[in-house]
Each structure stands twice: as structure tokens, then as C-alpha cells.
């Protein structure tokens, strides 16, 4: 079974729509992340949750709203997005330790904003 | 300013030969480095990592070398196989900054028969 799952895998939405991306991790980790990957750019960290608490918001516009109801689930709520928000959105999880923890990624949601 | 750089966007290698993927970093505080592999339509998959207290870590066909004085790491794949064709990302993190991985832009490796 894949450790980190994401749904939907593909999403097309208009600029006035509201949608949500879902991530679930089955690894018993206590930290979860949202990343954005645009073409020819490094993965950009958007949000970090440790023990369900948001610990990082990397200057992300408010049209992206994360939610972490428990340590296994992470959502990214989307509203009034722009075409430049079209990208691959990746969820990851890790076991928070001081030192060498590794992040494990889901397959991503390919988002197209029209 | 990009702290982790992969200056080669692509690399083409013949099957059976060695693939060498390079990564440079600017922040001397980084103490842990990772390589991820990504196939199309999939998320990045962890491949191998190295701590700054080491200069080499080996796992099967994959070896990562770290040269701290040059702020350079490399991933060696030998022998290369067609299934290794993917995009490879290097990433780095600072001590006690458990959340934040800084990624490079990736290198697309193609292994041809």
C-alpha cells in the first residue's frame, strides 16, 4: 500500500470554483507538508503541520487554505485561484525528529486552473 | 537566491555505464542531504541520503558523495538501467530545522539501451 495517498490525481477548475485536495498518510508520521511544483522550478514548500499545528506558512496567498484535522489527514482548500496556480501539488509526511528524518511524498494532484 | 543548485537539467547515459548527477549548495549550515527520484505522474521517491559527518554513503547501485569544502554532492548510479530514467532532485536541510527541505530544480536522466 502506498504510504501517502492524494486525491484527486487530476483537477480542472475555473477561477470562481471552490475545491479541496486531500492527503492521507498511513505511515504513523506526525508532520505533514504541502508543496507546489511548477514547471522548471524547485519544489516550493507551502505549509507544514507538526502534530496538527501549522508551523510554517511560506507566504502563500490566502486563496490556499490548509486544514489538518488529525496527524493522518491534510487538506488544501482552494478558492478563486488564478491560472498561474496551475501546478503539481504534492503532499508529504515525515516523523519529526531532530536530525535526519526523511519526507515521503504522495503522487500529487495535477491542477489546471482555467 | 537558490541555495541548492542542479546545473545540469538533463543527462543521457548508455545502459550499463555510470550516471553521475551533481548538486551544489551555498549554505554551509546544511547538515543533511537527500536524493529523490521522480517518475512522470508520480511523487518524488526517497532514494538515498547522507549526513554531513560522512563523505560517502552507498546503497546497492547508488552512492552519494559529499564534498563539504566544495559544497558539492553527487549521486553515482552504476550500472545504469533503463528503469533509472527519471528526474532526480537533491535536497538539503539545516540542523534543528526539521521541517524544511530545500530542493534543487532536478536533473532528468535518460538511460538508453
Amino acid at each position: 500500500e502506498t504510504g501517502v495517498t492524494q486525491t484527486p490525481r487530476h483537477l480542472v477548475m475555473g477561477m470562481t470554483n471552490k475545491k479541496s485536495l486531500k492527503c492521507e498518510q498511513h505511515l504513523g508520521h506526525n508532520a505533514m507538508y504541502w508543496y507546489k511544483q511548477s514547471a522548471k522550478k524547485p519544489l516550493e514548500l507551502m505549509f507544514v503541520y507538526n502534530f496538527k499545528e501549522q508551523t510554517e506558512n511560506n507566504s502563500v496567498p490566502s486563496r490556499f487554505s490548509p486544514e489538518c484535522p488529525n496527524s493522518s489527514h491534510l487538506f488544501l482548500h482552494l478558492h478563486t485561484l488564478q491560472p498561474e496556480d496551475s501546478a503539481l501539488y504534492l503532499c508529504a509526511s515525515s516523523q519529526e525528529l531532530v536530525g535526519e528524518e526523511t519526507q515521503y511524498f504522495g503522487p500529487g494532484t495535477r491542477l489546471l486552473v482555467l | 537566491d537558490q541555495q541548492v543548485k542542479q546545473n545540469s537539467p538533463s543527462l543521457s547515459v548508455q545502459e550499463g555505464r555510470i550516471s553521475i548527477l551533481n548538486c551544489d549548495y551555498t549554505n554551509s549550515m546544511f547538515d543533511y542531504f537527500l536524493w529523490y527520484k521522480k517518475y512522470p505522474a508520480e511523487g518524488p521517491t526517497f532514494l538515498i541520503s547522507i549526513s554531513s559527518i560522512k563523505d560517502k554513503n552507498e546503497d546497492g547501485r547508488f552512492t552519494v558523495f559529499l564534498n563539504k569544502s566544495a559544497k558539492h554532492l553527487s549521486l553515482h548510479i552504476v550500472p545504469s538501467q533503463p528503469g533509472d530514467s527519471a528526474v532526480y532532485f537533491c535536497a538539503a536541510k539545516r540542523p534543528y530545522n526539521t521541517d524544511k527541505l530545500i530542493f534543487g530544480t532536478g536533473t532528468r536522466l535518460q538511460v538508453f539501451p
Side-chain angles (χ1 to χ4, degrees):
Chain A
E1 182 188 348
T2 305
V4 181
T5 57
Q6 289 186 244
T7 54
R9 294 293 308 274
H10 302 273
L11 179 62
V12 180
M13 59 187 290
M15 290 189 284
T16 58
N17 292 159
K18 288 185 181 181
K19 296 286 184 183
S20 295
L21 309 185
K22 179 182 175 183
C23 176
E24 184 173 358
Q25 60 96 0
H26 312 273
L27 300 169
H29 289 164
N30 54 23
M32 296 187 77
Y33 313 77
W34 280 116
Y35 285 87
K36 175 183 177 182
Q37 187 183 20
S38 304
K40 298 184 180 174
K41 285 187 174 182
L43 272 73
E44 300 171 55
L45 180 65
M46 299 175 73
F47 301 104
V48 181
Y49 278 81
N50 286 313
F51 298 98
K52 302 186 298 176
E53 298 297 321
Q54 185 176 317
T55 58
E56 182 133 1
N57 175 341
N58 238 20
S59 304
V60 179
S62 59
R63 58 185 183 269
F64 296 91
S65 174
E67 179 190 359
C68 188
N70 55 62
S71 57
S72 298
H73 294 86
L74 186 65
F75 295 89
L76 188 62
H77 304 298
L78 316 171
H79 62 100
T80 60
L81 294 193
Q82 304 298 311
E84 59 264 30
D85 297 321
S86 299
L88 180 69
Y89 288 85
L90 291 159
C91 173
S93 71
S94 70
Q95 184 64 24
E96 185 188 349
L97 296 167
V98 175
E100 304 177 355
E101 87 284 359
T102 297
Q103 293 181 20
Y104 294 86
F105 286 83
T109 295
R110 176 72 61 185
L111 174 66
L112 177 63
V113 181
L114 300 177
Chain B
D1 181 37
Q2 209 167 320
Q3 298 185 64
V4 177
K5 299 177 185 178
Q6 294 176 258
N7 292 317
S8 298
S10 63
L11 176 66
S12 191
V13 172
Q14 188 173 28
E15 181 179 7
R17 309 293 285 259
I18 185 170
S19 296
I20 301 176
L21 298 110
N22 293 305
C23 181
D24 297 294
Y25 60 95
T26 57
N27 191 336
S28 59
M29 295 298 292
F30 289 143
D31 71 337
Y32 188 57
F33 304 88
L34 307 91
W35 284 95
Y36 284 84
K37 178 168 78 171
K38 186 181 183 300
Y39 293 117
E42 294 183 15
T45 304
F46 170 70
L47 197 56
I48 193 169
S49 62
I50 188 167
S51 165
S52 60
I53 62 173
K54 298 182 178 179
D55 54 19
K56 177 182 174 182
N57 189 24
E58 190 172 352
D59 183 2
R61 296 185 298 114
F62 302 91
T63 303
V64 56
F65 295 91
L66 177 62
N67 182 335
K68 288 187 290 295
S69 61
K71 297 193 184 69
H72 177 83
L73 67 155
S74 61
L75 175 68
H76 292 211
I77 306 173
V78 55
S80 302
Q81 299 173 354
D84 297 328
S85 298
V87 178
Y88 290 78
F89 294 94
C90 69
K93 65 180 289 290
R94 298 192 309 255
Y96 309 111
N97 191 343
T98 55
D99 301 333
K100 205 160 187 174
L101 284 181
I102 309 297
F103 283 86
T105 52
T107 296
R108 182 176 300 279
L109 173 65
Q110 183 165 7
V111 180
F112 59 92

